[in-house]
Every structure is written in structure tokens, then in C-alpha cells.
Amino acid sequence: MLRIDIITIFPKMFPGVLDESIMKRAQAKKLVDFRVHDLRDFSKDPHRKVDDRPFGGGPGMVMTPQPLVDAVKKIRGRRKAKVIYMCPGGTVFSQLKAKALAKEKNLILICGHYEGIDERVREMVVDESISIGDYVLTGGELPAMVVVDAVARLIPGVLGKEASLEDESFEHGLLEYPQYTRPADFCGKKTPPVLLSGNHLAVKEWRNEQAVARTKKFRPDLIK
Ligand code: 9WO
């Protein structure tokens, strides 16, 4: 079972995501084990401080090394875990990366705030940094939720039988084909007849053509 530990100064941000829908079901089925940790619980400062002024001056505050390093060491224990720092400067997250992370046994995600984390944290405990895109957010929590969602859904059994992973066209580097459901005619806008034909081969061909056309139009960079 994949265990994902998240280290954050805003632990209350996570129950809304981890305790709903697919994430909740995944935990109930004991397919994945999410644990959220309040970084302040690991601070040795009497006021549970986790930040301080940057050496060399400059604006804002930096996350101090002691709470983060001790948190990783305490959470990791004797387990082998991949420690990931959520950072705009990291490797850009992808479906391929999600599949690789889904094969791990233990992930520890560090969510930064302020102006970032002390460099010694990277040197001592971080294995890699991951970015979910080229923009700067207020913290690493939303990126951590994105990674958790993308990884957890790949774990066998998490998505019910109604959702088939292998048909995910994104897996083949294409965008999704258009989806239609009842009613067949909505506000005069009709469902493509092929989807009502019962001809599964024709449907598969049409879907692939649509996925290729959509990819060429919106994401030509994905077309190899
Ligand atoms: C900010 C930043 C900006 C440009 C290049 C590198 C950078 N690193 C950081 C950083 O570590 N920021 C900390 C975490 C503190 C500020 C809030 N943080 C954050 C992480 N903002 N945005 C992200 C993030 C993480 C993953 N993917 C996209 C954005």
C-alpha cells in the first residue's frame, strides 16, 4: 500500500480533498494511506516558529531547517521514502511522473511557504523537487494535492470498475475525445450518430480521430 505523508503549516487545507470522493474511498479500501503533518509540531522553538529572516538580507522569511529535517526523519523512520519538495523550479509534473510515483511505497511531500526553505533541507533530505507548472502560488499545498490526486487514482482498485484507466487517451499522448451522454438531443444539439450506432469499432475509430484532431488543434506539441 502506498503511503503518502504531507508536511505543511496548513494541515486543515487537506481534509476537504483527502476525505472526499475517490480519495476517501481509496483510504477506506486501504489502497493508500494519507497522513498530514503540521510542521509546527516538529519545531523546537518554544513558540513553534518554523521561519526566520534570511541571512544576507532580503524580503520575507525563510523556512528554518530544524523543523523540516526533523519532521522528515521522524516521519520516515526506518522506511525508505522518496522526499519531494513542491517548488516552481522543480521538474514539471506529468502523467508519466505520476505513474512512476504510483509505483513507490512511501512518498513524503514538503509544502513550502514564505520565501522558500533553507538550502540545507534540500541538501539533507529532499530527493527531488516537482513543479505543477510555471507559476508561483502562495504555498506548496495545492501542488501537493494535485500530485496526490494524479498518483492515487493510478493505484489499482482506487478507480471503480466503471472507470477504465487503459482507455485514457492522455496515456497515449493525446487529449481526451468528446464525451456525450443523455439526452441524445440537448437544446437541438445532437449526439454524433456513430456513438448511438452500437458499432464499437466505428466508435473507437471516431474517438481516436477526434482525440488526434483535438490534440492537433489545442496541443500540437503533444503530437510526436
Ligand atoms: C518560489 C519560486 C519562484 C521561482 C523559482 C523558484 C521558486 N521556488 C519557490 C519556492 O520554493 N516557494 C515556496 C513554496 C515559498 C512560496 C510558496 N511556494 C510555492 C510553491 N509557490 N508555488 C509553488 C509551486 C509548487 C509547485 N508547482 C508550482 C508552484
Side-chain angles (χ1 to χ4, degrees), residues 6-26:
I6 299 163
I7 300 171
T8 171
I9 58 173
F10 295 113
K12 290 179 182 170
M13 284 181 73
F14 289 88
V17 170
L18 300 182
D19 297 346
E20 291 296 330
S21 181
I22 288 175
M23 297 301 137
K24 183 178 183 180
R25 191 165 65 195

Side-chain angles (χ1 to χ4, degrees), residues 85-89 112-116 130-133 135-139 143:
Y85 176 52
M86 304 313 299
C87 165
H113 266 274
Y114 311 111
E115 297 304 314
I130 288 183
S131 163
I132 62 165
Y135 36 78
V136 183
L137 304 169
T138 53

Side-chain angles (χ1 to χ4, degrees), residues 97-117:
K97 185 67 181 173
K99 288 171 75 175
L101 294 180
K103 295 187 176 104
E104 296 285 339
K105 283 268 173 284
N106 300 290
L107 298 176
I108 299 177
L109 307 184
I110 297 175
C111 304
H113 266 274
Y114 311 111
E115 297 304 314
I117 60 175

